[in-house]
Amino acid sequence: MQDCLRTHDCPALQDALPFLPTRVIDCSDPSHPRLFVSGHAPGRYIALSYVWGEPQPYSTTSSNIASYVQHIDTQFLPQTIKDAIIITNMLGIRYLWADTLCIIQDSDEDKVHELGHMKNIYRDSYLTIVVASANRVSEGFLHRREDTLRLNRADFTLPVVLPEGRGTGSVSFSPMYMEIDNPVTMDDTWYEPLKEPVHQRAWCMQELFLSPRSLVFASHTLQYQCQKGARNIGGADNEYWTDDRIPWSRPPPISGIPQDVKTIDDLDNIYGAWKTIVHSYTRRSISVPGDKLVALAALAEYFHAIVQAPYLAGVWQNTLLMDLLWAHVHTTGPWPRPSKYRAPSWSWTAIDGLVAYYDGCAKGCLVSVAPKTMHAFVAQVVLCETALQDATLPFGAVSGGVLVLR
């Protein structure tokens, strides 16, 4: 992290501390954590990104919040939350933000309020702990990992003497081949970031993308990620063990996206990043179909601050004709739509499944349909508008929409 802050163009830690979220977990004593109502006082905190995967009966509610402010009994917490409290304390940071304890789960009013600040919660965090490998919150992430790379007949293992008299361990060597025009078939011998549980969940995407720095507990190793890329802890840098070859599985270079639109190329880069995000987001699953827009709202708010264009249920008004050129991928029958209305039919958020933007060529390659191609369109937008379910969430769910083209 220190090397990142000194040599990268990633968002730096400011001299002035950011404001704490509404509530955080005080981890100064990991065995006796408590909920701290911050009053938005300044302070450094760590955020947690993880897969629930199951109910959390000991979440914060209206009936127990008063007692949680005094003390949270760790014996009732799921292992991932307990592990995150330990890591926060070990990193010398006092506060942790975890949704299950820091949002009042039985209060729609509190959920709406906190969702409206989600962009700031992850963007302003000192670090985000990303629990990439756990399918459910009860699994935790500070346990001994099983061998995740299948050993083949050519593998061999050597003993290693650990430093400071800590005994012996072992290191396995495995040949890995890759022809230029014929990549190795993806199997258990090849680490695939997109197979991690955290990359399968829609809510987790914006948490990773908006975080300036992340400590990722992956299946195969521990990683430090920033806007420049990923490094495996301990220098175990195998190019096939990071996710650099899959750009949509890690944060886009947010620090490299122009913060103001000066040229048409700037606009191309911005909307190209958005379409990459749409492609990545739609391959993920979401437990509540109605959350499709809500779980992307923080990223939409981030882009809105740059493009300064009305946001219309997943598409942007000033590039609307291009944004309509999305296609559903790998579907032979009727496009899957949720049983309950979620968005107007012209928005990709109205359907389930993988979505991509195409250039119309026969091979159907994924491209960024750029503003510079605007002259090629043979239609004009007469009217486009959406009705929000909640006026306080301008990037959230909609209850209706209309589009008129000439």
Side-chain angles (χ1 to χ4, degrees), residues 1-17:
M1 181 183 292
Q2 294 303 322
D3 179 62
C4 167
L5 295 174
R6 285 194 303 265
T7 64
H8 295 178
D9 58 356
C10 300
L13 294 176
Q14 304 298 322
D15 293 333
L17 294 175

Side-chain angles (χ1 to χ4, degrees), residues 3 8 149 176 191 220-225 229-244:
D3 179 62
H8 295 178
L149 300 182
M176 184 176 289
Y191 175 67
H220 67 307
T221 189
L222 177 63
Q223 289 182 334
Y224 173 81
Q225 288 190 6
R231 293 297 299 271
N232 295 323
I233 300 299
D237 286 326
N238 179 323
E239 64 175 307
Y240 305 117
W241 281 16
T242 65
D243 54 5
D244 290 339

Side-chain angles (χ1 to χ4, degrees), residues 34-350:
R34 67 183 186 89
L35 196 63
F36 175 64
V37 181
S38 71
H40 297 293
R44 283 182 179 163
Y45 64 95
I46 286 176
L48 178 64
S49 179
Y50 66 108
V51 177
W52 278 41
E54 59 191 346
Q56 295 196 60
Y58 295 99
S59 300
T60 296
T61 63
S62 303
S63 60
N64 64 23
I65 186 171
S67 63
Y68 279 10
V69 168
Q70 300 300 320
H71 170 67
I72 300 174
D73 193 337
T74 57
Q75 69 172 320
F76 297 118
L77 293 179
Q79 193 61 46
T80 288
I81 305 297
K82 290 192 285 189
D83 288 350
I85 291 172
I86 292 172
I87 291 295
T88 300
N89 177 266
M90 292 179 68
L91 289 175
I93 304 298
R94 181 170 184 174
Y95 300 116
L96 169 70
W97 188 90
D99 56 0
T100 181
L101 293 175
C102 299
I103 299 177
I104 303 175
Q105 297 298 317
D106 62 348
S107 170
D108 290 339
E109 180 181 359
D110 193 65
K111 287 181 179 179
V112 168
H113 179 270
E114 295 304 304
L115 286 175
H117 292 83
M118 198 62 65
K119 176 174 70 74
N120 296 342
I121 289 175
Y122 284 94
R123 184 197 61 189
D124 294 341
S125 65
Y126 180 80
L127 179 80
T128 294
I129 295 172
V130 178
V131 185
S133 59
N135 285 289
R136 55 189 60 85
V137 68
S138 59
E139 290 182 14
F141 56 92
L142 293 183
H143 49 74
R144 181 180 178 87
R145 286 169 172 74
E146 301 296 330
D147 291 334
T148 56
L149 300 182
R150 186 178 61 205
L151 301 180
N152 59 48
R153 287 176 294 180
D155 293 340
F156 61 94
T157 301
L158 293 178
V160 175
V161 178
L162 301 178
E164 302 174 359
R166 290 184 292 170
T168 60
S170 62
V171 58
S172 298
F173 294 83
S174 176
M176 184 176 289
Y177 307 96
M178 177 175 168
E179 299 176 11
I180 294 178
D181 298 323
N182 184 24
V184 176
T185 301
M186 297 295 181
D187 57 21
D188 291 340
T189 66
W190 186 303
Y191 175 67
E192 177 54 74
L194 292 182
K195 292 181 180 178
E196 295 277 33
V198 77
H199 292 309
Q200 304 296 321
R201 303 298 297 167
W203 276 101
C204 295
M205 193 184 82
Q206 65 180 9
E207 298 167 2
L208 177 64
F209 278 32
L210 291 170
S211 301
R213 289 159 292 274
S214 300
L215 195 60
V216 183
F217 289 82
S219 297
H220 67 307
T221 189
L222 177 63
Q223 289 182 334
Y224 173 81
Q225 288 190 6
C226 63
Q227 299 299 319
K228 190 172 181 179
R231 293 297 299 271
N232 295 323
I233 300 299
D237 286 326
N238 179 323
E239 64 175 307
Y240 305 117
W241 281 16
T242 65
D243 54 5
D244 290 339
R245 60 194 178 82
I246 308 176
W248 54 80
S249 70
R250 61 181 169 88
I254 286 180
S255 58
I257 294 176
Q259 296 304 297
D260 56 343
V261 181
K262 297 178 180 178
T263 68
I264 194 68
D265 288 333
D266 289 341
L267 198 59
D268 287 346
N269 292 334
I270 292 168
Y271 284 104
W274 177 257
K275 289 173 173 59
T276 299
I277 283 173
V278 169
H279 184 69
S280 175
Y281 183 70
T282 55
R283 62 171 296 280
R284 298 165 179 251
S285 60
I286 192 164
S287 300
V288 181
D291 285 347
K292 186 93 169 187
L293 280 162
V294 179
L296 191 66
L299 268 176
E301 183 181 358
Y302 177 89
F303 274 80
H304 176 264
I306 302 174
V307 302
Q308 294 294 308
Y311 178 70
L312 302 162
V315 300
W316 301 94
Q317 188 178 73
N318 61 347
T319 53
L320 182 59
L321 290 176
M322 293 168 291
D323 287 359
L324 295 178
L325 299 182
W326 55 267
H328 196 278
V329 183
H330 306 312
T331 298
T332 56
W335 293 350
R337 298 180 184 273
S339 57
K340 186 178 180 180
Y341 179 89
R342 184 169 63 204
S345 61
W346 39 265
S347 168
W348 57 266
T349 62

